[in-house]
């Protein structure tokens, strides 16, 4: 998730940004521009990793109000390392979600 594009979403700034993220997009990952996520999780530095679970009890709530649990890691680390660390979370539902994602990442 990107906070935004330097210079905005128009003209040469947009094209320069797209050229920079093209190799990332080619790997098959999803890329979003969503500054609200940075506010929601109080992201002050990047890279930051977030694992969030939705509160399924109230499906009608606003997106910013539905998130009931989350983990955050910040710093220079691989996704697999972060997920491995989260598999030992005290919160079993977050640990299970981290394990599922780690398994998907490993292609098993």
């Amino acid at each position: 998730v990107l906070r935004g594009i330097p210079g905005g979403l128009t003209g040469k700034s947009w094209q320069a940004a797209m050229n920079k993220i093209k190799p990332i997009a080619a790997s098959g990952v999803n890329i979003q521009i969503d500054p609200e996520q940075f506010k929601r999780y109080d992201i002050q530095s990047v890279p930051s990793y977030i694992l969030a679970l939705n509160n399924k009890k109230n499906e009608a709530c606003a997106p910013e109000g539905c998130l009931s649990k989350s983990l955050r890691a910040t710093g220079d680390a691989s996704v697999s390392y972060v997920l491995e660390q989260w598999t030992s979370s005290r919160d079993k539902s977050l640990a299970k979600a981290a394990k599922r994602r780690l398994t998907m990442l490993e292609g098993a």
Side-chain angles (χ1 to χ4, degrees):
V1 176
L2 305 173
R3 184 183 311 220
I5 300 294
L9 298 175
T10 59
K12 292 181 181 181
S13 297
W14 174 254
Q15 189 56 48
M18 293 303 99
N19 288 338
K20 286 182 181 179
I21 64 174
K22 189 181 280 187
I24 299 167
S27 72
V29 300
N30 292 322
I31 298 173
Q32 298 176 26
I33 299 172
D34 188 351
E36 293 302 316
Q37 295 287 350
F38 282 76
K39 291 177 189 174
R40 182 176 297 142
Y41 296 107
D42 191 30
I43 302 298
Q44 300 297 317
S45 62
V46 293
S48 290
Y49 301 90
I50 304 291
L51 175 63
L53 298 179
N54 288 326
N55 177 2
K56 294 183 180 179
K57 293 179 183 176
N58 185 1
E59 294 182 23
C61 61
E64 62 276 0
C66 291
L67 301 175
S68 60
K69 300 178 184 183
S70 65
L71 294 171
R72 177 174 56 180
T74 302
D76 187 14
S78 68
V79 174
S80 59
Y81 176 81
V82 171
L83 288 171
E84 285 173 18
Q85 300 306 303
W86 286 346
T87 62
S88 59
S89 171
R90 290 183 199 156
D91 184 298
K92 297 302 176 195
S93 59
L94 287 167
K96 187 176 178 180
K99 180 64 177 166
R100 268 194 321 270
R101 284 160 178 81
L102 182 59
T103 300
M104 287 172 35
L105 183 65
E106 293 171 341

